[in-house]
Coordinates of all heavy atoms in Angstrom, one line a residue:
M1104 N -201.4 -10.3 86.8 CA -200.7 -11.5 86.4 C -199.8 -11.9 87.5 O -199.1 -11.0 88.0 CB -199.9 -11.3 85.1 CG -199.1 -12.4 84.8 SD -198.0 -12.2 83.3 CE -197.7 -10.5 83.3
K1105 N -199.8 -13.2 87.9 CA -198.9 -13.7 89.0 C -198.1 -14.8 88.4 O -198.6 -15.7 87.8 CB -199.8 -14.2 90.1 CG -199.1 -14.9 91.2 CD -198.8 -14.0 92.3 CE -198.3 -14.7 93.5 NZ -196.9 -14.7 93.7
L1106 N -196.8 -14.6 88.6 CA -195.8 -15.7 88.1 C -195.5 -16.5 89.3 O -195.5 -16.1 90.5 CB -194.6 -15.0 87.6 CG -194.8 -14.1 86.4 CD1 -193.4 -13.5 86.0 CD2 -195.5 -14.7 85.3
E1107 N -195.3 -17.8 89.1 CA -194.9 -18.8 90.1 C -193.4 -18.9 90.3 O -192.9 -19.0 91.4 CB -195.5 -20.1 89.9 CG -197.0 -20.1 89.9 CD -197.7 -21.4 89.4 OE1 -197.0 -22.3 89.1 OE2 -198.9 -21.4 89.3
S1108 N -192.6 -18.9 89.2 CA -191.2 -19.0 89.3 C -190.5 -18.5 88.0 O -191.2 -18.5 87.0 CB -190.7 -20.4 89.6 OG -190.9 -21.3 88.6
L1109 N -189.3 -18.1 88.1 CA -188.4 -17.8 87.0 C -187.1 -18.5 87.1 O -186.6 -18.7 88.2 CB -188.2 -16.2 87.0 CG -189.3 -15.3 86.9 CD1 -188.9 -13.9 87.2 CD2 -190.0 -15.4 85.5
Q1110 N -186.6 -19.0 86.0 CA -185.4 -19.8 86.0 C -184.5 -19.4 84.8 O -184.9 -19.6 83.6 CB -185.7 -21.3 85.9 CG -184.5 -22.2 85.9 CD -183.9 -22.4 87.3 OE1 -184.6 -22.3 88.3 NE2 -182.6 -22.6 87.4
L1111 N -183.4 -18.8 85.0 CA -182.5 -18.4 83.9 C -181.6 -19.7 83.6 O -181.1 -20.4 84.5 CB -181.6 -17.3 84.3 CG -182.2 -15.9 84.3 CD1 -181.4 -14.9 85.1 CD2 -182.4 -15.4 82.9
D1112 N -181.4 -19.9 82.3 CA -180.5 -21.0 81.8 C -179.5 -20.4 80.8 O -179.9 -20.2 79.6 CB -181.3 -22.1 81.2 CG -180.5 -23.3 80.7 OD1 -179.3 -23.1 80.6 OD2 -181.1 -24.3 80.5
P1113 N -178.3 -20.1 81.2 CA -177.4 -19.5 80.3 C -176.9 -20.4 79.1 O -176.7 -19.9 78.0 CB -176.1 -19.1 81.1 CG -176.3 -19.8 82.4 CD -177.8 -20.2 82.5
V1114 N -177.0 -21.7 79.3 CA -176.6 -22.6 78.3 C -177.6 -22.6 77.2 O -177.3 -22.6 76.0 CB -176.4 -24.1 78.8 CG1 -176.2 -25.0 77.7 CG2 -175.3 -24.1 79.9
A1115 N -178.9 -22.7 77.5 CA -180.0 -22.6 76.5 C -180.3 -21.2 76.1 O -181.2 -21.1 75.2 CB -181.2 -23.3 77.1
K1116 N -179.8 -20.2 76.7 CA -180.0 -18.8 76.5 C -181.5 -18.5 76.6 O -182.2 -18.0 75.7 CB -179.5 -18.4 75.1 CG -178.0 -18.5 74.9 CD -177.5 -18.1 73.5 CE -177.9 -19.0 72.5 NZ -177.3 -20.2 72.2
S1117 N -182.1 -19.0 77.8 CA -183.5 -18.9 78.0 C -183.9 -18.5 79.4 O -183.0 -18.6 80.4 CB -184.2 -20.2 77.7 OG -183.8 -21.2 78.6
L1118 N -185.1 -18.0 79.6 CA -185.7 -17.7 80.8 C -187.0 -18.5 80.9 O -187.9 -18.2 80.2 CB -185.9 -16.2 80.9 CG -186.7 -15.7 82.2 CD1 -186.1 -16.0 83.5 CD2 -187.0 -14.2 82.0
S1119 N -187.1 -19.5 81.8 CA -188.3 -20.3 82.0 C -189.2 -19.5 82.9 O -188.8 -18.9 83.9 CB -188.0 -21.6 82.6 OG -187.2 -22.4 81.7
I1120 N -190.5 -19.6 82.6 CA -191.5 -18.8 83.3 C -192.6 -19.8 83.7 O -193.2 -20.4 82.8 CB -192.1 -17.7 82.5 CG1 -191.0 -16.7 82.0 CG2 -193.2 -17.0 83.3 CD1 -191.5 -15.7 81.0
Q1121 N -192.8 -20.0 85.0 CA -193.9 -20.9 85.5 C -195.0 -19.9 86.0 O -194.8 -19.0 86.7 CB -193.4 -21.7 86.7 CG -192.5 -22.8 86.3 CD -193.2 -23.9 85.5 OE1 -194.4 -24.3 85.8 NE2 -192.6 -24.3 84.5
A1122 N -196.2 -20.2 85.4 CA -197.4 -19.5 85.8 C -198.7 -20.3 85.4 O -198.5 -21.3 84.7 CB -197.4 -18.1 85.1
Q1123 N -199.8 -19.9 85.8 CA -201.1 -20.5 85.5 C -201.4 -20.0 84.1 O -201.8 -18.8 83.9 CB -202.2 -20.2 86.4 CG -201.9 -20.8 87.8 CD -201.9 -22.3 87.8 OE1 -202.7 -23.0 87.1 NE2 -200.9 -22.9 88.5
I1124 N -201.2 -20.8 83.0 CA -201.4 -20.3 81.7 C -202.5 -21.2 81.0 O -202.4 -22.4 81.0 CB -200.1 -20.4 80.8 CG1 -199.1 -19.6 81.5 CG2 -200.4 -20.0 79.4 CD1 -197.7 -19.7 80.9
D1125 N -203.5 -20.6 80.5 CA -204.5 -21.3 79.7 C -204.1 -21.3 78.2 O -204.1 -20.3 77.6 CB -205.9 -20.6 79.9 CG -207.0 -21.3 79.1 OD1 -206.8 -22.2 78.3 OD2 -208.2 -20.9 79.4
F1126 N -203.9 -22.5 77.7 CA -203.3 -22.6 76.3 C -204.3 -21.9 75.3 O -203.8 -21.2 74.4 CB -203.1 -24.0 76.0 CG -202.6 -24.2 74.6 CD1 -201.2 -24.1 74.3 CD2 -203.3 -24.5 73.5 CE1 -200.6 -24.2 73.1 CE2 -202.8 -24.6 72.2 CZ -201.5 -24.5 72.0
E1127 N -205.6 -22.1 75.5 CA -206.6 -21.6 74.6 C -206.7 -20.0 74.7 O -207.2 -19.4 73.8 CB -208.0 -22.2 74.9 CG -208.0 -23.7 74.6 CD -207.6 -24.1 73.2 OE1 -208.0 -23.4 72.3 OE2 -207.0 -25.1 73.1
Q1128 N -206.2 -19.5 75.8 CA -206.3 -18.1 76.1 C -204.9 -17.5 76.3 O -204.7 -16.6 77.1 CB -207.2 -17.8 77.3 CG -208.6 -18.3 77.2 CD -209.4 -17.4 76.2 OE1 -209.2 -16.2 76.1 NE2 -210.3 -18.1 75.5
F1129 N -203.9 -18.0 75.6 CA -202.5 -17.7 75.7 C -202.3 -16.2 75.6 O -201.5 -15.6 76.4 CB -201.6 -18.4 74.7 CG -200.2 -18.0 74.9 CD1 -199.4 -18.5 76.0 CD2 -199.5 -17.3 73.9 CE1 -198.1 -18.2 76.1 CE2 -198.2 -17.0 74.0 CZ -197.5 -17.4 75.1
H1130 N -203.0 -15.5 74.8 CA -202.9 -14.1 74.6 C -203.2 -13.3 75.9 O -202.6 -12.2 76.2 CB -203.7 -13.5 73.5 CG -205.2 -13.6 73.7 ND1 -205.9 -14.8 73.6 CD2 -206.1 -12.7 74.1 CE1 -207.2 -14.6 73.9 NE2 -207.3 -13.3 74.3
L1131 N -204.1 -13.8 76.8 CA -204.4 -13.2 78.0 C -203.2 -13.3 79.0 O -203.1 -12.4 80.0 CB -205.6 -13.8 78.7 CG -206.9 -13.7 77.9 CD1 -208.0 -14.4 78.6 CD2 -207.2 -12.2 77.7
F1132 N -202.3 -14.1 78.8 CA -201.0 -14.2 79.6 C -199.9 -13.4 78.9 O -199.2 -12.6 79.5 CB -200.6 -15.7 79.8 CG -199.2 -15.8 80.4 CD1 -199.0 -15.6 81.7 CD2 -198.1 -16.1 79.6 CE1 -197.8 -15.7 82.3 CE2 -196.9 -16.2 80.2 CZ -196.7 -16.0 81.5
A1133 N -199.7 -13.7 77.6 CA -198.6 -13.2 76.8 C -198.6 -11.7 76.6 O -197.6 -11.0 76.7 CB -198.5 -13.9 75.5
E1134 N -199.8 -11.1 76.3 CA -199.8 -9.7 76.1 C -199.5 -8.9 77.4 O -198.7 -7.9 77.3 CB -201.2 -9.3 75.5 CG -201.3 -9.7 74.1 CD -202.8 -9.6 73.6 OE1 -203.7 -9.2 74.3 OE2 -202.9 -9.9 72.4
P1135 N -200.0 -9.2 78.6 CA -199.6 -8.5 79.8 C -198.1 -8.8 80.2 O -197.5 -7.9 80.7 CB -200.6 -9.1 80.9 CG -201.7 -9.6 80.2 CD -201.2 -10.0 78.8
L1136 N -197.7 -10.0 79.9 CA -196.3 -10.3 80.1 C -195.4 -9.3 79.3 O -194.4 -8.8 79.7 CB -195.9 -11.7 79.8 CG -194.5 -12.1 80.0 CD1 -194.1 -12.2 81.5 CD2 -194.2 -13.5 79.4
A1137 N -195.7 -9.2 78.0 CA -194.9 -8.4 77.1 C -195.0 -6.9 77.6 O -194.0 -6.2 77.6 CB -195.4 -8.5 75.7
A1138 N -196.2 -6.5 78.0 CA -196.3 -5.1 78.5 C -195.5 -4.9 79.8 O -194.9 -3.9 80.0 CB -197.8 -4.8 78.8
A1139 N -195.5 -5.9 80.7 CA -194.7 -5.8 82.0 C -193.2 -5.7 81.7 O -192.5 -5.1 82.5 CB -195.0 -7.0 82.8
M1140 N -192.8 -6.2 80.5 CA -191.4 -6.1 80.2 C -191.1 -5.0 79.3 O -190.0 -4.7 78.9 CB -190.9 -7.4 79.4 CG -191.0 -8.7 80.3 SD -190.4 -10.1 79.4 CE -191.5 -10.2 78.0
D1141 N -192.1 -4.2 78.9 CA -192.0 -3.1 77.9 C -191.5 -3.6 76.6 O -190.7 -2.9 75.9 CB -191.1 -2.0 78.5 CG -191.4 -0.7 77.8 OD1 -192.5 -0.5 77.3 OD2 -190.5 0.2 77.7
A1142 N -191.9 -4.8 76.2 CA -191.5 -5.4 74.9 C -192.7 -5.3 74.0 O -193.9 -5.1 74.4 CB -191.2 -6.9 75.1
R1143 N -192.4 -5.4 72.7 CA -193.5 -5.3 71.7 C -193.6 -6.6 70.9 O -192.6 -7.2 70.6 CB -193.1 -4.1 70.7 CG -194.2 -3.8 69.7 CD -193.8 -2.5 68.9 NE -192.4 -2.4 68.5 CZ -192.0 -2.8 67.3 NH1 -192.9 -3.1 66.3 NH2 -190.8 -2.6 66.9
V1144 N -194.8 -7.0 70.7 CA -195.1 -8.3 69.9 C -194.9 -7.9 68.5 O -195.6 -7.0 68.0 CB -196.5 -8.8 70.2 CG1 -196.8 -10.0 69.4 CG2 -196.6 -9.1 71.7
I1145 N -194.1 -8.7 67.7 CA -193.9 -8.5 66.3 C -194.7 -9.5 65.5 O -195.3 -9.2 64.5 CB -192.4 -8.6 66.0 CG1 -191.7 -7.4 66.7 CG2 -192.2 -8.5 64.5 CD1 -190.2 -7.5 66.5
E1146 N -194.6 -10.8 65.9 CA -195.3 -11.9 65.2 C -195.9 -12.8 66.2 O -195.4 -13.0 67.3 CB -194.3 -12.7 64.3 CG -193.7 -12.0 63.2 CD -192.8 -12.8 62.4 OE1 -192.7 -14.1 62.6 OE2 -192.0 -12.3 61.6
R1147 N -197.0 -13.5 65.8 CA -197.7 -14.5 66.6 C -197.9 -15.7 65.8 O -198.4 -15.6 64.7 CB -199.0 -14.0 67.1 CG -199.0 -12.8 67.9 CD -200.4 -12.2 68.2 NE -200.3 -11.0 68.8 CZ -201.2 -10.6 69.8 NH1 -202.1 -11.4 70.2 NH2 -201.0 -9.4 70.3
H1148 N -197.4 -16.8 66.2 CA -197.6 -18.1 65.6 C -198.3 -19.0 66.7 O -197.6 -19.4 67.6 CB -196.3 -18.7 65.1 CG -195.7 -17.9 64.1 ND1 -196.0 -17.9 62.7 CD2 -194.6 -17.0 64.1 CE1 -195.3 -17.0 62.1 NE2 -194.4 -16.5 62.9
D1149 N -199.6 -19.3 66.4 CA -200.3 -20.2 67.4 C -200.6 -21.5 66.7 O -201.2 -21.5 65.6 CB -201.6 -19.5 67.8 CG -201.3 -18.1 68.5 OD1 -200.4 -18.1 69.3 OD2 -202.0 -17.1 68.2
G1150 N -200.1 -22.6 67.3 CA -200.3 -23.9 66.7 C -201.2 -24.8 67.5 O -201.8 -24.3 68.5
A1151 N -201.3 -26.0 67.1 CA -202.2 -27.0 67.8 C -201.7 -27.3 69.2 O -202.5 -27.5 70.1 CB -202.3 -28.3 67.0
D1152 N -200.4 -27.3 69.5 CA -199.9 -27.6 70.8 C -198.8 -26.6 71.2 O -198.1 -26.9 72.2 CB -199.4 -29.0 70.9 CG -198.3 -29.4 70.0 OD1 -197.9 -28.5 69.2 OD2 -197.8 -30.5 70.0
R1153 N -198.5 -25.6 70.5 CA -197.4 -24.7 70.8 C -197.7 -23.3 70.3 O -198.2 -23.1 69.2 CB -196.1 -25.1 70.2 CG -194.9 -24.3 70.6 CD -193.7 -24.9 70.1 NE -192.5 -24.1 70.4 CZ -191.3 -24.5 70.3 NH1 -191.0 -25.6 69.7 NH2 -190.3 -23.7 70.6
H1154 N -197.4 -22.3 71.1 CA -197.5 -20.9 70.8 C -196.0 -20.4 70.7 O -195.2 -20.7 71.5 CB -198.2 -20.0 71.8 CG -199.6 -20.4 71.9 ND1 -200.6 -20.0 71.0 CD2 -200.3 -21.0 72.9 CE1 -201.8 -20.4 71.4 NE2 -201.6 -21.0 72.6
Q1155 N -195.8 -19.6 69.6 CA -194.4 -19.0 69.5 C -194.6 -17.6 69.0 O -195.1 -17.4 67.9 CB -193.6 -19.8 68.5 CG -192.2 -19.4 68.4 CD -191.3 -20.4 67.6 OE1 -191.8 -20.8 66.6 NE2 -190.1 -20.5 68.0
W1156 N -194.2 -16.7 69.8 CA -194.4 -15.3 69.5 C -193.0 -14.6 69.4 O -192.1 -15.0 70.2 CB -195.2 -14.5 70.6 CG -196.6 -14.9 70.6 CD1 -197.3 -15.9 70.1 CD2 -197.6 -14.1 71.3 NE1 -198.6 -15.9 70.3 CE2 -198.9 -14.7 71.1 CE3 -197.6 -12.9 71.9 CZ2 -200.0 -14.2 71.6 CZ3 -198.8 -12.4 72.5 CH2 -200.0 -13.1 72.3
L1157 N -192.8 -13.7 68.5 CA -191.6 -13.0 68.4 C -191.8 -11.6 69.0 O -192.8 -10.9 68.7 CB -191.2 -12.8 66.9 CG -189.9 -12.0 66.6 CD1 -188.7 -12.7 67.3 CD2 -189.7 -11.8 65.1
L1158 N -190.9 -11.3 70.0 CA -191.0 -10.0 70.7 C -189.7 -9.3 70.4 O -188.7 -9.8 70.1 CB -191.1 -10.3 72.2 CG -192.2 -11.2 72.8 CD1 -192.1 -11.3 74.3 CD2 -193.5 -10.7 72.3
I1159 N -189.8 -7.9 70.7 CA -188.6 -7.1 70.6 C -188.5 -6.2 71.9 O -189.6 -5.7 72.2 CB -188.5 -6.3 69.3 CG1 -187.2 -5.6 69.2 CG2 -189.6 -5.3 69.2 CD1 -186.8 -5.0 67.8
F1160 N -187.4 -6.2 72.4 CA -187.2 -5.3 73.6 C -185.9 -4.6 73.4 O -184.8 -5.1 73.3 CB -187.0 -6.2 74.9 CG -186.6 -5.4 76.1 CD1 -187.5 -4.6 76.8 CD2 -185.3 -5.4 76.6 CE1 -187.1 -3.8 77.9 CE2 -184.9 -4.7 77.7 CZ -185.8 -3.9 78.3
E1161 N -186.0 -3.3 73.3 CA -184.8 -2.4 73.1 C -183.8 -2.9 72.0 O -182.6 -3.0 72.3 CB -184.1 -2.1 74.4 CG -185.0 -1.3 75.4 CD -184.3 -0.9 76.6 OE1 -183.1 -1.2 76.8 OE2 -185.0 -0.3 77.5
G1162 N -184.4 -3.3 70.9 CA -183.5 -3.8 69.8 C -183.2 -5.3 69.8 O -182.6 -5.8 68.9
T1163 N -183.5 -6.0 70.9 CA -183.2 -7.4 71.0 C -184.5 -8.2 70.7 O -185.5 -8.1 71.3 CB -182.7 -7.8 72.4 OG1 -181.5 -7.1 72.7 CG2 -182.5 -9.3 72.5
H1164 N -184.3 -9.2 69.7 CA -185.4 -10.0 69.3 C -185.4 -11.2 70.3 O -184.4 -11.8 70.5 CB -185.3 -10.5 67.9 CG -185.6 -9.4 66.9 ND1 -184.7 -8.5 66.5 CD2 -186.8 -9.1 66.3 CE1 -185.3 -7.7 65.7 NE2 -186.6 -8.0 65.5
M1165 N -186.6 -11.6 70.7 CA -186.7 -12.8 71.6 C -187.9 -13.6 71.2 O -188.9 -13.1 70.6 CB -187.0 -12.3 73.1 CG -186.0 -11.4 73.7 SD -186.6 -10.8 75.3 CE -187.8 -9.7 74.8
Q1166 N -187.8 -14.9 71.4 CA -188.9 -15.8 71.2 C -189.6 -16.1 72.5 O -189.0 -16.4 73.5 CB -188.4 -17.2 70.6 CG -187.8 -17.1 69.2 CD -188.9 -16.8 68.2 OE1 -190.0 -17.2 68.3 NE2 -188.4 -16.2 67.1
L1167 N -190.9 -15.9 72.5 CA -191.8 -16.3 73.7 C -192.5 -17.6 73.2 O -193.2 -17.6 72.2 CB -192.8 -15.2 74.1 CG -193.8 -15.6 75.1 CD1 -193.1 -16.0 76.4 CD2 -194.8 -14.5 75.3
N1168 N -192.2 -18.7 73.9 CA -192.8 -20.0 73.6 C -193.6 -20.6 74.7 O -193.3 -20.3 75.9 CB -191.6 -21.0 73.3 CG -190.8 -20.6 72.1 OD1 -191.1 -20.9 71.0 ND2 -189.6 -20.0 72.4
Y1169 N -194.6 -21.3 74.4 CA -195.4 -22.0 75.3 C -195.8 -23.3 74.7 O -196.5 -23.4 73.6 CB -196.7 -21.3 75.8 CG -197.5 -22.1 76.8 CD1 -197.0 -22.4 78.0 CD2 -198.7 -22.5 76.5 CE1 -197.7 -23.1 78.9 CE2 -199.5 -23.3 77.4 CZ -199.0 -23.6 78.6 OH -199.7 -24.3 79.5
E1170 N -195.5 -24.5 75.3 CA -195.8 -25.8 74.9 C -196.9 -26.4 75.8 O -196.7 -26.5 77.0 CB -194.6 -26.7 74.8 CG -193.7 -26.4 73.7 CD -192.6 -27.4 73.6 OE1 -192.5 -28.4 74.3 OE2 -191.7 -27.2 72.7
F1171 N -198.0 -26.8 75.2 CA -199.2 -27.3 75.9 C -198.9 -28.5 76.7 O -199.1 -28.6 77.9 CB -200.3 -27.5 74.9 CG -201.5 -28.1 75.6 CD1 -202.4 -27.4 76.4 CD2 -201.8 -29.4 75.3 CE1 -203.5 -28.0 77.0 CE2 -202.9 -30.0 75.9 CZ -203.7 -29.3 76.7
Y1172 N -198.4 -29.5 76.0 CA -198.2 -30.9 76.7 C -197.3 -30.8 77.8 O -197.5 -31.5 78.8 CB -197.8 -31.9 75.6 CG -199.0 -32.2 74.7 CD1 -198.8 -31.8 73.3 CD2 -200.1 -32.7 75.1 CE1 -199.9 -32.0 72.4 CE2 -201.2 -32.9 74.2 CZ -201.0 -32.6 72.8 OH -202.0 -32.8 72.0
A1173 N -196.2 -30.1 77.7 CA -195.2 -30.0 78.8 C -195.5 -28.9 79.8 O -194.9 -28.8 80.8 CB -193.8 -29.8 78.2
D1174 N -196.5 -28.1 79.4 CA -196.9 -26.9 80.3 C -195.6 -26.1 80.6 O -195.3 -25.8 81.7 CB -197.6 -27.4 81.5 CG -198.2 -26.2 82.3 OD1 -198.5 -25.1 81.6 OD2 -198.4 -26.3 83.5
I1175 N -194.9 -25.7 79.5 CA -193.6 -25.0 79.7 C -193.7 -23.7 78.9 O -194.1 -23.7 77.7 CB -192.4 -25.8 79.2 CG1 -192.3 -27.1 80.0 CG2 -191.2 -25.0 79.2 CD1 -191.3 -28.0 79.4
C1176 N -193.3 -22.6 79.5 CA -193.3 -21.3 78.9 C -191.8 -20.8 79.1 O -191.2 -20.9 80.2 CB -194.3 -20.3 79.6 SG -194.3 -18.7 78.8
W1177 N -191.3 -20.2 78.0 CA -189.9 -19.6 78.1 C -189.7 -18.5 77.1 O -190.3 -18.5 76.0 CB -188.9 -20.7 78.0 CG -188.7 -21.3 76.6 CD1 -187.7 -20.9 75.7 CD2 -189.5 -22.3 76.0 NE1 -187.9 -21.7 74.5 CE2 -188.9 -22.6 74.7 CE3 -190.5 -23.1 76.4 CZ2 -189.4 -23.4 73.8 CZ3 -191.0 -24.0 75.5 CH2 -190.5 -24.2 74.2
L1178 N -188.8 -17.7 77.4 CA -188.2 -16.7 76.5 C -186.8 -17.1 76.1 O -186.1 -17.6 77.0 CB -188.1 -15.3 77.3 CG -189.3 -14.5 77.5 CD1 -189.0 -13.4 78.5 CD2 -189.8 -13.8 76.1
S1179 N -186.5 -16.9 74.9 CA -185.1 -17.2 74.4 C -184.6 -16.2 73.5 O -185.3 -15.5 72.8 CB -185.1 -18.6 73.8 OG -185.9 -18.6 72.6
V1180 N -183.2 -16.1 73.5 CA -182.5 -15.2 72.6 C -181.6 -16.1 71.8 O -181.3 -17.2 72.1 CB -181.7 -14.1 73.4 CG1 -182.7 -13.1 74.1 CG2 -180.8 -14.7 74.4
E1181 N -181.1 -15.5 70.7 CA -180.2 -16.2 69.8 C -178.8 -16.3 70.2 O -178.1 -17.3 70.0 CB -180.3 -15.6 68.4 CG -181.6 -15.8 67.7 CD -181.9 -17.2 67.4 OE1 -181.0 -17.9 66.9 OE2 -183.1 -17.7 67.6
S1182 N -178.2 -15.2 70.7 CA -176.8 -15.2 71.0 C -176.5 -15.1 72.5 O -177.3 -14.6 73.3 CB -176.1 -14.0 70.2 OG -176.4 -12.8 70.9
E1183 N -175.3 -15.5 72.8 CA -174.9 -15.4 74.2 C -174.8 -14.0 74.7 O -175.1 -13.6 75.8 CB -173.5 -16.1 74.4 CG -173.6 -17.6 74.2 CD -172.2 -18.3 74.4 OE1 -171.3 -17.7 75.0 OE2 -172.1 -19.4 73.9
A1184 N -174.4 -13.1 73.8 CA -174.3 -11.7 74.1 C -175.7 -11.1 74.5 O -175.7 -10.1 75.3 CB -173.7 -10.9 72.9
E1185 N -176.8 -11.6 74.0 CA -178.1 -11.1 74.3 C -178.6 -11.7 75.6 O -179.7 -11.2 76.1 CB -179.0 -11.5 73.1 CG -178.7 -10.8 71.9 CD -179.5 -11.3 70.7 OE1 -179.8 -12.5 70.6 OE2 -179.9 -10.4 69.9
F1186 N -178.0 -12.7 76.2 CA -178.4 -13.3 77.4 C -178.6 -12.3 78.5 O -179.5 -12.4 79.4 CB -177.5 -14.4 77.8 CG -178.1 -15.2 79.1 CD1 -179.2 -16.0 78.9 CD2 -177.5 -15.0 80.3 CE1 -179.7 -16.7 80.1 CE2 -177.9 -15.7 81.4 CZ -179.0 -16.5 81.3
E1187 N -177.8 -11.2 78.5 CA -177.9 -10.2 79.6 C -179.2 -9.5 79.6 O -179.7 -9.0 80.6 CB -176.7 -9.2 79.5 CG -176.7 -8.4 78.3 CD -175.5 -7.5 78.2 OE1 -174.4 -7.8 78.7 OE2 -175.6 -6.4 77.6
V1188 N -179.8 -9.5 78.4 CA -181.2 -8.9 78.3 C -182.1 -9.8 79.1 O -183.0 -9.2 79.8 CB -181.6 -8.8 76.8 CG1 -183.1 -8.4 76.7 CG2 -180.8 -7.8 76.1
L1189 N -182.0 -11.1 79.0 CA -182.9 -12.0 79.8 C -182.7 -11.8 81.2 O -183.6 -11.9 82.0 CB -182.7 -13.4 79.3 CG -183.2 -13.8 77.9 CD1 -182.9 -15.3 77.7 CD2 -184.6 -13.5 77.7
E1190 N -181.4 -11.6 81.6 CA -181.1 -11.4 83.0 C -181.8 -10.1 83.6 O -182.4 -10.1 84.6 CB -179.6 -11.3 83.2 CG -178.9 -12.6 83.0 CD -177.4 -12.4 83.1 OE1 -176.8 -11.5 82.5 OE2 -176.7 -13.3 83.7
Y1191 N -181.8 -9.1 82.7 CA -182.4 -7.8 83.1 C -183.9 -8.0 83.2 O -184.6 -7.6 84.1 CB -182.1 -6.7 82.1 CG -182.8 -5.5 82.4 CD1 -182.5 -4.7 83.4 CD2 -183.9 -5.1 81.5 CE1 -183.2 -3.5 83.7 CE2 -184.6 -3.9 81.8 CZ -184.3 -3.1 82.8 OH -185.0 -2.0 83.1
L1192 N -184.5 -8.7 82.2 CA -185.9 -8.9 82.2 C -186.4 -9.8 83.4 O -187.4 -9.5 84.0 CB -186.4 -9.5 80.9 CG -186.3 -8.6 79.7 CD1 -186.6 -9.4 78.4 CD2 -187.1 -7.4 79.8
A1193 N -185.6 -10.7 83.8 CA -185.9 -11.6 84.9 C -185.9 -10.7 86.2 O -186.8 -10.9 87.0 CB -184.8 -12.7 85.1
S1194 N -185.0 -9.7 86.3 CA -185.0 -8.8 87.4 C -186.3 -8.0 87.5 O -186.9 -7.7 88.5 CB -183.8 -7.9 87.5 OG -183.8 -7.0 86.5
L1195 N -186.8 -7.6 86.2 CA -188.1 -6.8 86.2 C -189.3 -7.7 86.5 O -190.2 -7.2 87.3 CB -188.3 -6.3 84.7 CG -187.5 -5.2 84.2 CD1 -187.9 -4.8 82.8 CD2 -187.6 -3.9 85.1
L1196 N -189.2 -8.9 86.1 CA -190.4 -9.8 86.3 C -190.5 -10.4 87.7 O -191.5 -10.9 88.2 CB -190.4 -11.0 85.3 CG -190.6 -10.5 83.9 CD1 -190.4 -11.8 82.9 CD2 -191.9 -10.0 83.7
R1197 N -189.4 -10.3 88.5 CA -189.4 -10.8 89.8 C -190.4 -10.2 90.7 O -191.0 -10.7 91.6 CB -188.0 -10.7 90.5 CG -187.1 -11.8 90.0 CD -185.8 -12.0 90.9 NE -185.1 -13.2 90.5 CZ -184.4 -13.2 89.4 NH1 -184.2 -12.2 88.6 NH2 -183.7 -14.3 89.1
R1198 N -190.8 -8.9 90.4 CA -191.8 -8.2 91.1 C -193.3 -8.8 91.0 O -194.2 -8.6 91.7 CB -191.9 -6.8 90.8 CG -192.3 -6.5 89.4 CD -192.3 -5.0 89.0 NE -192.3 -4.8 87.6 CZ -193.4 -4.7 86.9 NH1 -194.6 -4.8 87.5 NH2 -193.4 -4.5 85.6
L1199 N -193.4 -9.7 89.9 CA -194.6 -10.4 89.7 C -194.7 -11.8 90.4 O -195.7 -12.5 90.2 CB -194.8 -10.6 88.2 CG -194.9 -9.3 87.4 CD1 -195.0 -9.5 85.9 CD2 -196.1 -8.4 87.9
L1200 N -193.7 -12.1 91.1 CA -193.7 -13.5 91.8 C -194.5 -13.4 93.0 O -194.6 -12.4 93.7 CB -192.2 -13.9 92.2 CG -191.3 -14.2 91.0 CD1 -189.9 -14.5 91.5 CD2 -191.9 -15.5 90.3

């Protein structure tokens, strides 16, 4: 898996991920991404134009989202205190750039 870019946004409590993602085969991107972060997939919601998966990493729940029309993928957390988890995961994922 090759990532094109990563962008942290502390206001949105998110980590944007740019990569070549096939919407119809999202699992082929999302499962290796979760494995690269040592995160576990808890739930999968696949819709007509959006995928939303719930992941857990060391006790922190995160949403992995991908929107087809905007071609946007991101991880998000609920609280500001959890944002440091996204910062750590971004440092792990940088090796995939």
Side-chain angles (χ1 to χ4, degrees):
M1104 172 181 36
K1105 175 97 169 96
L1106 303 180
E1107 296 172 1
S1108 70
L1109 299 169
Q1110 178 82 31
L1111 284 163
D1112 183 344
V1114 174
K1116 299 180 291 284
S1117 68
L1118 171 62
S1119 296
I1120 303 167
Q1121 289 291 317
Q1123 295 296 317
I1124 302 170
D1125 179 349
F1126 183 81
E1127 298 299 324
Q1128 301 289 323
F1129 180 69
H1130 67 282
L1131 295 177
F1132 171 79
E1134 290 170 356
L1136 179 70
M1140 297 184 300
D1141 200 25
R1143 189 168 44 99
V1144 177
I1145 297 176
E1146 292 179 16
R1147 300 173 188 218
H1148 299 280
D1149 300 315
D1152 61 356
R1153 182 174 180 171
H1154 296 286
Q1155 186 173 37
W1156 289 19
L1157 178 62
L1158 308 179
I1159 189 166
F1160 172 77
E1161 295 186 2
T1163 300
H1164 288 85
M1165 302 174 289
Q1166 295 286 332
L1167 174 61
N1168 296 280
Y1169 179 67
E1170 289 188 1
F1171 173 74
Y1172 294 110
D1174 191 24
I1175 298 172
C1176 183
W1177 72 96
L1178 282 166
S1179 62
V1180 291
E1181 290 295 316
S1182 73
E1183 291 179 22
E1185 295 171 321
F1186 184 72
E1187 67 185 28
V1188 172
L1189 292 181
E1190 292 174 315
Y1191 174 73
L1192 292 174
S1194 72
L1195 286 181
L1196 293 174
R1197 280 193 173 78
R1198 65 184 165 86
L1199 299 174
L1200 290 173

